[in-house]
Amino acid sequence: MLHSSFESSSLQITKHSRSAMRQTYKSVDGEDVTESDVSPVVALEMEGQVHHSPDNGNDRKDSSVHITNVPPHVKRAQRLVFASHFFSQFSDSAWQFAVVLFLAAISNYNSILLVSSYSLTVYVAVMLCAAPIGSFIDRHNRLRAARLCIGIEKGAVLLALVACCWLLSHAERAHREEGGASAVPHDVLSLALIAAVHLFGALALLCNQGFVVAVERDWIVVLSKQTDVPLAWLSRTNVALRQIHLSCRVLSPTIAGWIVGDASSAADAPQRYCDLHKAAVFVGVLFLISLLVEYVCAARVYRLVPALALPQRP
């Protein structure tokens, strides 16, 4: 008896559910839409049984809002960050492009051993030392840490350029006197200078990455908190920084390659080494200009936003 009544109740509930599934809703356009035409989630939303988190709505609104009320000092600081980032990435891209040509020319284009060993040394150093560099930046004053990274990076590249110029001169002499240079120089001084290029290149990339991460993950976050819409401002600033980075990766090697000219061809050895020396001078001058611009921009941003002087949170 109880079993029959339970089956009867279940049948009634099932019929009621099926009839409810055929009820009519009003769509946004005013047309009748049955629940069988829409997904279960949409149907629940129509009935008001699904409620979106207010935080998600605020996030969407904040990320799509039109930014008009940014304080003037934050706008100036943002422009300075963009200028500093452009010079930093442009000079670094020029160096990374030119050093490959220098190392290949040192071996008279007979081997890619130096190019391969340089890449291995640089990225192993980044893998092993990136965390200590980040910890150092977090523990120290923002401006002092930024200037230290900038100064070490530029100084390391300038020293590496001096070593490259000496090695290129040695390769040119060997080509002129012996009719061709060996794959890799074997004298002690040349090997020491090659090692210096590798070490200084790794140190420069470490400091460059440390400064870039400090700006993108810390400085602009502090700047965003000075605005009424920090999420939207931060998102757009990150996009602009990424666009600057990618533009420099395209423009800088193009300009450096134009200056080098036909240095990679073996048609005229004296002209080839002369062009490479010009490329080294170009990169050196570019790094000196970048050093000045980044130093000034970092100091001005630091003065414009007093919050950057506050200690960083652990």
Side-chain angles (χ1 to χ4, degrees), residues 166 168-179 273:
W166 194 96
L168 288 171
S169 299
H170 176 75
E172 183 179 4
R173 286 195 305 269
H175 188 279
R176 184 173 57 251
E177 295 172 1
E178 304 174 9
Y273 288 109

Side-chain angles (χ1 to χ4, degrees), residues 84-249:
S84 174
H85 192 67
F86 172 80
F87 277 91
S88 173
Q89 294 304 302
F90 192 89
S91 58
D92 180 67
S93 298
W95 161 247
Q96 296 298 335
F97 174 78
V99 70
V100 174
L101 298 180
F102 299 155
L103 293 174
I106 289 168
S107 61
N108 199 32
Y109 302 100
N110 292 325
S111 172
I112 61 170
L113 176 62
L114 294 181
V115 177
S116 302
S117 62
Y118 177 83
S119 298
L120 179 64
T121 301
V122 165
Y123 289 107
V124 167
V126 170
M127 181 180 64
L128 296 178
C129 302
I133 292 293
S135 300
F136 172 82
I137 293 174
D138 290 340
R139 291 195 307 268
H140 290 77
N141 175 270
R142 287 184 173 96
L143 180 60
R144 188 177 299 111
R147 283 184 162 178
L148 188 61
C149 286
I150 294 169
I152 293 176
E153 178 201 356
K154 310 308 179 187
V157 171
L158 291 174
L159 290 174
L161 285 170
V162 172
C164 286
C165 287
W166 194 96
L167 289 166
L168 288 171
S169 299
H170 176 75
E172 183 179 4
R173 286 195 305 269
H175 188 279
R176 184 173 57 251
E177 295 172 1
E178 304 174 9
S182 60
V184 177
H186 296 298
D187 58 286
V188 176
L189 182 58
S190 295
L191 292 176
L193 291 173
I194 290 172
V197 172
H198 285 58
L199 294 177
F200 286 138
L203 181 60
L205 185 60
L206 273 171
C207 292
N208 177 269
Q209 294 297 314
F211 177 64
V212 169
V213 170
V215 170
E216 293 183 354
R217 299 291 183 268
D218 182 31
W219 286 51
I220 65 169
V221 173
V222 175
L223 291 177
S224 70
K225 294 177 182 178
Q226 313 301 310
T227 67
D228 294 337
V229 282
L231 180 61
W233 188 92
L234 183 62
S235 176
R236 297 187 185 185
T237 303
N238 273 322
V239 169
L241 289 173
R242 189 61 180 171
Q243 289 172 339
I244 293 172
H245 171 78
L246 295 176
S247 299
C248 290
R249 291 298 181 189

